[in-house]
Each structure stands twice: as structure tokens, then as C-alpha cells.
Amino acid sequence: MSDQAKFTKIDDGSRQRVINLKLKKDKKKGYFGRALVGAGTDGRYENNISANHFNNDKQLSVLGNVNNVNKQGFTFSDIVTSMGGFQNMGSTGAGFSRGGGKARATSVGTSSNNSPTGINKYISGGINYNNYVSPKLRIGGNCFYSNTQNNAERNIYRQTFFPDDSTTDLSENYKSSSTNQNNRFNVRLEYQIDSMNSILYTPSLTLQHSESENNDTASTYSVTPSQRFLSVTGIAKNSNERDGQNLNNNLLFRHRFGKVGRTLTIGLANTYSHSLGEGYNISSNTFYKPDGTTDNLLNQNRNSQQETYTHNNVLSSSYTEPIGKNKLLELNYAYTNNKNTSDKKTYDFDPNSGKYETPDLPLTNYFKNSFSANRIGTNFRVQKPKYNYQLGMAAQFSTLESMSYLATTGKDSTSKHSYVNFFPIATFNYQVNKSKSFRFRYSGRTNQPSLSQLQNVLDQSNPLQWRIGNPNLRQEFNHNITLGYNTFNVLTYKFLAANLSFSTTENKIVNSTDSVSKGIQLIKPVNLNGAFSTSSYVTLGLPFRNKKLKGSSLNFINSIAYNQDVSLLYQRKNIGKTLTVTQGAGVNFDLLTDKLNFGANMNVSYYNIKYSVNSLLNDNYFSQTYTADISYAFPKDFILATDFEDYVNTGRADGFNQSIPLWNASVSKDIFKKKNGEIKLSVNDILNQNQSITRTTSDNYIQDTKTNVLRRYFLISFLYNLNRMGGKKNTNHSQNIPMPRMMQRGMRNSRSND
């Protein structure tokens, strides 16, 4: 929970997932780390290092990473491996190949997977420091630098549907390159003034620089019931550069009174951000008549400059009062004051002067947005040995005001809305026993429209798909209900987890799509009701009871999701319904005294997609994934590992029912007397079949995209582990921490998704 919630014992709904690694007292001195160096064919490489030093309450960590095999950085399994724990032949064998740049993306419902596509180069490094300076003062901080370079090539086919029963078929070749640099600094200062008072201060600073450039060529055919003809051809080049700074300050004062449970907290949160960007858009589009003659030309050569500022401030307070045994009443108040500005200037190229100096008034705008709110609430909490529950309600009185200066008219336009919102919360947690628990939660919250959604300035960076904001947007209000049940046997590792959720949004901010002219669309955000989603999730793990199969298990996963979304399509309310049913099953075996590890998994998903306005977009198909991996420890510390994955689409349109196999393998050997070194030869995508194919379905179009990905390459690497904790070296693999096979496999899968 948040720092304030842990202090007051009142759950405010905020969560941050952490892993708490505890060291025994005699192990709190020393250092551990690992270093990996790898080089391969086609110029592939992977190098990373981590070093950690503990001296009682002082902790210092240094991380570094450079690679071009689509690995973003470090994972939890990398860190614990360097400590000499959680290391086994499964994670040192097939584990690397799984994470070696697999970049397959396939449509899921109406949106595509987030797997990395294109060719990526990552450079990152950081330092983390924690220290108890004195019994009263604890200081922690870290700084981290990252540089990501991406080069991508995409082939796009899009079919767009129009209200007159006509369609357009777009074929586009797109090349892009981008660089994104980040410097992040975080500090945590916790000062215990005395036994009754403490101060917590957590500032953070982010500095960002990004550059991007893309080139694309496209041709569009118009299709009517009577003919098909070339209607638009175009070429475009876009380049953008942006610098930004973001500063956050969070100050929390906490006071305990003499009576147990009576507390007072006062918090101040401040955010300041600034960004300055510049971009160039050069494009040429030719529109044709059905007979092949030129209808008109649309040429753009523009320079755009945009500067944004954000000033957000929140002052909050909370008072808790015990009212009987195990009962607590909280009163809270918060004042919010947010101000945001965006100044966008656009200039057309003047061929006479050779400069960008002709103001483009429809694309020039100064926009200011402010939001202020007073929120008051109360919470009642009961804490019993086996259960606890919380009931709460808050009321917020807010004002959302926007001012826009339109260069076309030279006048200001303003809009102002006032709201009264209620924020109910209800939670119930029941601990049946140490291994079984049940939980229920309901909450409501409001969401403000973003600056880009409000700013009513035309964006024509895509010459065939224009965008504009809407200063009359209202805020959203979201309701969420979740039910959950968990049981876990720490002796057998048998577990069951089930979850059911429902969410609905009032005044949801969605897109309105309309036609400007033939082949050109305008997208504008609007508020609509009718959106909701519900889902269920069940996972079951059944370890084998046979002692010879210790660490082996059967695993089952089932999920069902139904989503109803809304939008405006050519001034008609469009309802999209998506049903997704997924069933997964897997088996893991540890055999021959953990020398042979084998696992197999299958995942079958069924998708049913329907739209109310255009039934031609309805879709009904299956996607299947079959995976298997095996590793074997030979004498002389040789480990052979391989894994195979086959992705299959069925029930789709012609040309999209594909099977994509991916086969990886590695052979490694532990070296040195302490077995703290490893040499490995691995190959990624042995069959050279890796692909990235996505299908995106939207309100009025279907789009298939094929993107370049990493394919077959060989890599040879050297890994060195160092662990000297408690004054003793401990690098022998025989002293590693035992870990259930199902958890090892989960770590490897999480690493492959990084």
C-alpha cells in the first residue's frame, strides 16, 4: 500500500507491487554480481553487468546493459541468479534463447500485442543506494540512464469502410527510425523526528530527449459496387524532435497521538513538467478521378513547434480516530489545483525565401486548461484476526475550465464546467486460513480529459486522417468491482487463483470519425455512455505427488472476457462487442534427479467481434500457441537446451491463416573450480521463420501489418557469477536455493516478454 495507507491503516486503493528480499544478519556484508559478454552473427551482441555491495544497512548496486537482441534490461531472475540462487539448468539453458529477441505480434481482439518489433538497440545503466544514516534518518536514491534506438520497416494493408457502402484499399510501405533517451533520478528521505512524528520526502526528476524520422509511400484504391480504381497516391516524410523535463515532489508529515490509532497526516504533492518539440511534415498526395485523370493535389511542407507546461498541486490531509476495539474512522480532505498550457505554432514553407515563415493559422493555437477540486471523505474500517472490511464515501466539487486562442479568428473561446462527483469504496478481505483468502473490492473514480484531447487545433501530420481536440469534453467516471479467491499450499506448491471483475465508464471519452472529403477523415474525441467490460480468470497448479517427480506439475489457465465499447462513426453510434475465451494447459517435468527438465504448454483463444454500424468488420477466429522446451545436464557440466513454439491462426481471411514456428537452442558448460562461470553457444530462430504480423480492427477499418523482426542468429557468450556474502565465497551451483519448476518457468517466460 502507499506510505500514508500503511501509516493510517486505511486502504486508499493505491498499490505498488514489490519483491522483498531479506538477508540473514550474518549475510548482510559482502558483495555479489554477474557479468555477461556475448557476440554473434549479423553483428548481434549482448553485454551486461550487475554489482551489489552490502554493509549492514548500506546497500549499493550498479547495473549496466548494452545489446541489440531486443532485450530491454535486467529482470528479477537475473539479479537473484547473480546471488547464486534460483539458478538451474532450465534457466541457464533454454532460458536465454527464449529471451533472445523473439518479436512476434498477433492481434488479440481489436488490438495488437506489445512484443518489440523492428531492430532495437538498448543502452542502459544505473546506480541504486540505500543507507540508514542514523536510527532516525534513512536515505535512498537511484539514477538511471537509458537509450533506445529502433529501426522498423512495415508493410501495411488497410481496408476502410464508408457509409455509402464504398471501401478503400490502402497499401503502404513505412520505414522509421527513432531514438529515446531518459535520465531518471529518484530520492527517498525518511526522518523520524521522534516516536510520534515523522517526515517522508520523495522527489524525482526525469529528463527526456527523443528523435524520430519516418518515410512512407502509399497507394489507395476506391471500391464501389460498380468499379475499382486508383484514387490516391502519396509520399510523406515526417521528422520530430522533443526535449522534456518532469519534476515531482511528494512530502508527507505523519503524527501519532497518545491514543493508539489516533493519527494525523498532511501531504503535499507537486508536479512540474515542460516539453519543447519541433517537427517537419513534407507530403504530396495526388487524388484521381475514376477515369484515371488527376482530380486535385494536396501538398504539405510545414514546420510545427509546440511548447507545453504542466503545474499540478495536491494538498491532502487525513485524520484517524479509533472508535472501539479494532474499529477506525478516517476523515480526509484534499485540494487539487492543476494548470496546463500548450502553445502550438505552424509555419508553411515559403519557396521564395526558402524558409518556414508563412503562418498556417488553422494549425496554430494557444490553449490553457485548469482544473480545481475540493474533495472531502470518510472511511470506516474494521480489523479482525480473520477478516477486515472498509466502507467509505467521498464527495468532490470540481471545476474544469479551458481557454483557447484561435489564430484564424484572433479571438479567445472559453468553456467552463462544474461537477459534483461521489467516490464510494467498499472492501472486504477474509483470511480463511494461512493459505486461503477471499477479497472483494468496489471503487469509483473520475478521469479528466488530457490536454491533447481538449486542444482544438487541427493536426494534419497524417494527410488522410486529420485529428482535432474538443474543449467541451466532460470528465469520465469509472466504476470497478473485483472478486478474488486464492489458495496456496506451501508444502506441496498446489495453488488455485480465481478472479472476477466488472468495469463500466460513464461519459467515456471515445473517438468520433467523420469524412472531410473523399479519402480524408477527421477524428475528434467525444463523450459517450454504454461502455463496459467484464472478465474472469482461473489458474490451477497441481504438482505431482510422486517423489521421483518432485518439482513437476500440471497447470491450467482459463480466462473469459467480454468488452463492449462505443464510438461515433459518421454521426452514428457504433457499438463494438468482443468476446474472448482462452484455455491454457501445461505440464512440467523434472526427471533424473533434476538432470532432465521438460515442459509443454498449449494455449487456445477464441475471438468473436461484432460491430453495430458495419457488419463487414465482424470477425470470428481462433489463435493457438503450442510450446515445448527441454534441457538435459550431461556429465562434465554440459547443458543442452532447446525450445519450440508454434503460433497458428485459423478461421481468418485468406492469406492470414498462418503457422509461425520458432525454434531456439543452446549448449552451455559450467567452468572454473567453483562453477561460477559459464560459456554458452545459442541460436535464435533456427528455422529462420520468425515474423511479426498484426491485425487491427477498428470502428471502420481492418488493418494488417507486417514488421521486420530479429531472425536467425548465433551468439556465443561468457557469464561470470560472483558471490561473497557474509565473508565467504558462495558460487557453487550445488548451494543454490531450490525452486519449484513451475516458478522457474514463470521467470523465464517473464524474461522473454521484457
Side-chain angles (χ1 to χ4, degrees), residues 77-276:
S77 56
D78 293 326
I79 295 174
V80 295
T81 293
S82 68
M83 298 173 65
F86 299 166
Q87 178 86 8
N88 74 359
M89 62 182 182
S91 60
T92 60
F96 171 76
S97 295
R98 280 184 181 271
K102 180 171 61 178
R104 177 181 305 141
T106 309
S107 62
V108 178
T110 59
S111 61
S112 62
N113 190 299
N114 289 326
S115 300
T117 56
I119 307 300
N120 296 278
K121 177 181 178 182
Y122 297 103
I123 303 174
S124 60
I127 298 176
N128 185 77
Y129 176 77
N130 286 287
N131 185 19
Y132 282 93
V133 179
S134 70
K136 289 188 174 184
L137 178 62
R138 182 181 181 184
I139 298 177
N142 61 72
C143 60
F144 197 83
Y145 169 80
S146 65
N147 184 315
T148 303
Q149 300 176 25
N150 172 269
N151 288 281
E153 297 181 10
R154 295 182 175 90
N155 296 316
I156 299 171
Y157 174 75
R158 175 186 288 189
Q159 187 176 27
T160 305
F161 300 86
F162 293 91
D164 59 358
D165 293 329
S166 66
T167 63
T168 60
D169 298 336
L170 167 72
S171 297
E172 182 178 5
N173 295 317
Y174 180 92
K175 294 183 178 181
S176 66
S177 61
S178 64
T179 299
N180 192 358
Q181 300 176 6
N182 281 279
N183 286 279
R184 301 192 297 271
F185 306 89
N186 298 281
V187 176
R188 180 186 174 94
L189 300 174
E190 190 167 3
Y191 181 62
Q192 193 74 31
I193 302 173
D194 52 39
S195 60
M196 296 295 186
N197 300 279
S198 67
I199 294 176
L200 177 64
Y201 177 48
T202 55
S204 64
L205 173 65
T206 300
L207 306 176
Q208 185 179 46
H209 174 78
S210 63
E211 299 177 14
S212 65
E213 182 175 313
N214 60 71
N215 296 270
D216 67 271
T217 60
S219 58
T220 303
Y221 286 82
S222 290
V223 182
T224 65
S226 59
Q227 62 178 331
R228 183 178 189 270
F229 64 94
L230 179 66
S231 57
V232 187
T233 59
I235 58 174
K237 177 180 180 180
N238 291 279
S239 61
N240 293 278
E241 185 173 351
R242 182 171 290 274
D243 289 284
Q245 307 87 39
N246 184 278
L247 176 64
N248 288 280
N249 290 283
N250 290 279
L251 181 65
L252 186 66
F253 170 76
R254 298 174 291 190
H255 173 72
R256 287 188 180 94
F257 294 89
K259 187 176 181 180
V260 176
R262 182 179 292 170
T263 67
L264 174 67
T265 62
I266 300 175
L268 176 63
N270 167 266
T271 298
Y272 166 81
S273 64
H274 169 252
S275 72
L276 181 62

Side-chain angles (χ1 to χ4, degrees), residues 14-116:
S14 62
R15 288 290 188 274
Q16 181 179 11
R17 187 178 299 278
V18 299
I19 296 175
N20 186 21
L21 294 177
K22 294 185 177 181
L23 298 179
K24 296 179 180 179
K25 291 183 178 180
D26 62 340
K27 298 293 184 181
K28 288 188 176 182
K29 287 188 178 182
Y31 50 86
F32 62 91
R34 57 171 275 168
L36 174 72
V37 178
T41 57
D42 299 324
R44 301 291 149 220
Y45 58 86
E46 181 186 12
N47 306 287
N48 60 64
I49 186 172
S50 67
N52 308 272
H53 175 62
F54 283 23
N55 185 3
N56 292 323
D57 292 327
K58 293 181 181 179
Q59 304 170 12
L60 177 65
S61 300
V62 179
L63 303 174
N65 173 59
V66 178
N67 76 82
N68 63 354
V69 292
N70 283 12
K71 280 192 173 182
Q72 293 185 15
F74 292 90
T75 66
F76 170 69
S77 56
D78 293 326
I79 295 174
V80 295
T81 293
S82 68
M83 298 173 65
F86 299 166
Q87 178 86 8
N88 74 359
M89 62 182 182
S91 60
T92 60
F96 171 76
S97 295
R98 280 184 181 271
K102 180 171 61 178
R104 177 181 305 141
T106 309
S107 62
V108 178
T110 59
S111 61
S112 62
N113 190 299
N114 289 326
S115 300

Side-chain angles (χ1 to χ4, degrees), residues 392-426:
M393 174 64 75
Q396 178 172 281
F397 307 88
S398 60
T399 301
L400 180 66
E401 187 173 4
S402 299
M403 187 280 289
S404 178
Y405 171 79
L406 301 176
T408 51
T409 63
K411 297 180 180 179
D412 294 338
S413 64
T414 60
S415 62
K416 186 175 182 179
H417 302 279
S418 296
Y419 306 96
V420 178
N421 288 117
F422 296 96
F423 298 83
I425 185 172

